[in-house]
Amino acid sequence: MSEAAELPPVPEQAHDVFGDRYADAVRYAELLAEAGVKRGLIGPREVPRLWERHLLNCAVLSEVVPEGVTVCDVGSGAGLPGIPLALVRDDLKITLLEPLLRRTNFLTEVVELLGLDHVTVVRGRAEEVMGKMPPVHVVTARAVAPLDRLATWGIPLLRPYGEMLALKGDTAEEELKAATAALSKLGAAKTSVLHVGEGVVDPMSTVVRVEVGESPGGVRFAAKRAKAARTGRTRRRRG
């Protein structure tokens, strides 16, 4: 049996969640089940639960993303949660940030195939693009790293008063508690654990929200940010 044949029936909730983009969501699921598995982006065991555990689980993140903002999906991998989010929210400008070439190739193909004009794929690590990429309102991430480490990559990419939204599992509360000191040093002003997707996914998706103040990344990144801004101004003057 091929991987594609194992793709489960599309849940009824997908029609409501993806709306006009329903057909594109189905195509994305097929791409994950076929090319995604062949290229090692997702494991074959994930195919039977692609809809509930991956596409719908990620799409409901849109419930807590403000309107019309810029988003950077850190460590986007196969495009989760960035692509499901893009399918339900064409008001967002989304950057899929991923360091591995085979993954960025896949992401670029998906974005072009699905006509996601509001999505850009960038190859690189978060720490490499800081200062080269405009700061964003929202950073998203899923299954990238423990919260304290994820925060050191994601928070410095934020604009002042932006927020990081990390999809986490059952250990979200414990991770948040363990990361409190690290988050404080990075300029976090407020943290919370949210549950989204009621009536769509069961159990609901768990999101750790980290809201920052006027200095995303805290003192340690202030100098880096200032240097990057000076470099940018110098380049613009020379140009």
Side-chain angles (χ1 to χ4, degrees), residues 13 17 52 55-64 167 194-207:
Q13 299 94 315
V17 171
E52 282 83 359
L55 274 77
L56 290 172
N57 181 278
C58 289
V60 295
L61 182 62
S62 66
E63 292 177 19
V64 290
L167 278 162
L194 313 171
H195 298 282
V196 295
E198 185 175 5
V200 177
V201 286
D202 185 19
M204 290 194 290
S205 300
T206 302
V207 181

Side-chain angles (χ1 to χ4, degrees), residues 30 35 48 55 61 70 77 91 103 119 145 153 181:
E30 292 168 350
L55 274 77
L61 182 62
T70 52
D91 60 300
R103 292 176 180 169
V119 178
W153 301 332

Side-chain angles (χ1 to χ4, degrees), residues 65-143:
V65 178
E67 283 188 33
V69 297
T70 52
V71 178
C72 181
D73 190 31
V74 172
S76 196
L80 301 164
I83 288 178
L85 185 60
L87 287 169
V88 297
R89 294 287 298 276
D90 60 7
D91 60 300
L92 306 173
K93 289 195 179 301
I94 299 177
T95 298
L96 306 178
L97 182 62
E98 169 56 49
L100 294 184
L101 180 61
R102 63 188 169 90
R103 292 176 180 169
T104 53
N105 284 344
F106 175 79
L107 292 172
T108 301
E109 290 165 22
V110 171
V111 166
E112 289 176 0
L113 187 66
L114 302 184
L116 297 172
D117 299 333
H118 57 306
V119 178
T120 304
V121 178
V122 173
R123 185 184 174 200
R125 299 183 185 280
E127 56 269 37
E128 295 168 350
V129 301
M130 194 187 79
K132 299 176 185 175
M133 201 175 86
V136 296
H137 297 92
V138 177
V139 162
T140 59
R142 177 180 188 253

Side-chain angles (χ1 to χ4, degrees), residues 15-40:
H15 286 276
D16 296 329
V17 171
F18 291 103
D20 293 343
R21 285 283 195 170
Y22 169 76
D24 291 326
V26 172
R27 185 69 189 112
Y28 177 48
E30 292 168 350
L31 289 165
L32 286 174
E34 297 161 6
V37 171
K38 286 175 185 171
R39 299 190 199 180

